[in-house]
Amino acid sequence: MTHADVDLRKLRYFVAVAEELNFGRAAQRLHIAQPVLSRQIQALERELDAQLFVRDKRRTRLTPAGEQLVADAELVLAGAEALRRRVAQAASAAGTFTVGFMPGLTVTGPVRAFGDAHPGLTVEVLRTSWNDQVSVLHDGRADVGYVRLPIDAAGLEVRPLFSERRMAVVGTGHRLAGRTSVNIADLADEHLLQHPDTVPEWGQVARETRGRRETPPPEMRSVEEKLEHVAAGRGISILPESTATYYQRPDVAYVPIADIPPGQVALAWVAARRDPLIAGFAALAVTMR
């Protein structure tokens, strides 16, 4: 086993402890003995010349150095997984190019044209979400991705494609249904059924979060789930126009929001990759946006 192998293993051990903030639970999750885990973390701290955790009888918490390593470890481990995927693909001699895309975006044209231009290549598509539209690029599940901004662009090349209006999604019996447009302030008394980070303008007007810190609502697993909650009168959602157009249904209404910037769609890929296929697809995506 090489030194690099050992470092990656220690990094995975570190991430498990950082997520659990409990050495016992992390050891169970990793299927190793707790003393072994403790020794591996201590060895990693010596290699990095930094203390990563503070432990006392009541709890385990990250130091500032540990918090920084958490932020960096995700990219390192995802890069290692992407490398494994690409090597396995090359070994199988099965040329595959995967395009990620967010709900509501139609990528049929570019994918078909790219496949026609590379007849020996299998071009696949992968539906993503707000939770994984970036991680699928870092870990190699997708070669390129049609993403909705904002994203964490660290380590990525991002090429803007187009913008589109954002729509308030309300039940058909809602007071705002049938309006030709609304302002973001008109929604101030509503309950937002998505993570507020996906709608930065929401935090400036929302009364449900004013004056107190609230735990963000649980992330909906799909657009369909959001629409079910909207139709049931449990709150509102804010979606890009293409998503709203794609997911038409009779029990919800879509109203343009007039005073917030349009949503941005871009093509993204890992910047360190110099694959001519990626460059070729990016050029095609720009011409067919």
Side-chain angles (χ1 to χ4, degrees), residues 70-128:
V70 167
D72 293 336
E74 181 177 351
L75 284 179
V76 173
L77 293 176
E81 174 62 17
L83 176 64
R84 184 197 66 77
R85 290 177 188 269
R86 289 196 294 270
V87 170
Q89 179 181 317
S92 69
T96 302
F97 188 89
T98 302
V99 180
F101 68 98
M102 286 285 283
L105 298 178
T106 301
V107 298
T108 308
V111 166
R112 181 176 295 165
F114 193 66
D116 291 343
H118 301 275
L121 186 69
T122 300
V123 184
E124 297 181 345
V125 293
L126 174 67
R127 186 180 187 272
T128 61

Side-chain angles (χ1 to χ4, degrees), residues 18-278:
E19 290 177 348
E20 298 288 347
L21 289 179
N22 182 288
F23 275 74
R25 288 197 300 268
Q28 289 179 343
R29 170 174 151 184
L30 294 165
H31 305 292
I32 62 175
Q34 184 173 335
V36 173
L37 177 59
S38 296
R39 287 195 297 270
Q40 291 292 313
I41 297 300
Q42 290 166 3
L44 181 60
E45 289 177 324
R46 287 194 298 271
E47 290 175 8
L48 297 176
D49 194 24
Q51 183 179 0
L52 303 174
F53 296 100
V54 176
R55 302 171 67 180
D56 56 35
K57 292 181 178 180
R58 291 186 303 167
R59 61 175 181 157
T60 297
R61 66 184 188 275
L62 287 160
T63 65
E67 291 174 351
Q68 181 61 54
L69 186 57
V70 167
D72 293 336
E74 181 177 351
L75 284 179
V76 173
L77 293 176
E81 174 62 17
L83 176 64
R84 184 197 66 77
R85 290 177 188 269
R86 289 196 294 270
V87 170
Q89 179 181 317
S92 69
T96 302
F97 188 89
T98 302
V99 180
F101 68 98
M102 286 285 283
L105 298 178
T106 301
V107 298
T108 308
V111 166
R112 181 176 295 165
F114 193 66
D116 291 343
H118 301 275
L121 186 69
T122 300
V123 184
E124 297 181 345
V125 293
L126 174 67
R127 186 180 187 272
T128 61
S129 69
W130 282 106
N131 289 332
D132 65 3
Q133 62 171 340
V134 168
S135 63
V136 298
L137 301 172
H138 288 304
D139 67 19
R141 282 177 285 166
D143 296 285
V144 298
Y146 284 79
V147 299
R148 295 193 186 277
L149 304 183
I151 61 170
D152 180 356
L156 297 178
E157 187 79 23
V158 179
R159 186 162 299 179
L161 294 177
F162 61 88
S163 61
E164 56 183 339
R165 296 185 300 176
R166 287 186 286 172
M167 317 287 280
V169 189
V170 300
T172 50
H174 192 277
R175 61 186 175 85
L176 298 175
R179 293 268 294 267
T180 56
S181 68
V182 295
N183 292 326
I184 190 70
D186 295 327
L187 306 171
D189 290 322
E190 305 293 336
H191 175 52
L192 186 67
L193 293 168
Q194 62 205 94
H195 198 292
D197 288 352
T198 63
V199 189
E201 300 83 4
W202 177 254
Q204 301 168 20
V205 302
R207 292 198 176 96
E208 69 178 1
T209 59
R210 189 165 298 167
R212 63 186 188 277
R213 297 177 64 88
E214 285 195 355
T215 302
E219 189 70 23
M220 302 291 173
R221 289 185 293 271
S222 66
V223 176
E224 294 89 345
E225 188 174 343
K226 287 178 187 176
L227 295 180
E228 287 294 335
H229 284 275
V230 170
R234 295 172 185 157
I236 66 160
S237 189
I238 297 176
L239 296 178
E241 186 171 16
S242 60
T243 306
T245 301
Y246 188 84
Y247 290 93
Q248 291 288 336
R249 49 186 289 171
D251 50 2
V252 300
Y254 300 97
V255 186
I257 305 175
D259 62 342
I260 65 176
Q264 303 292 325
V265 174
L267 190 75
W269 63 91
V270 173
R273 293 189 62 187
R274 300 290 181 238
D275 188 337
L277 289 174
I278 291 178

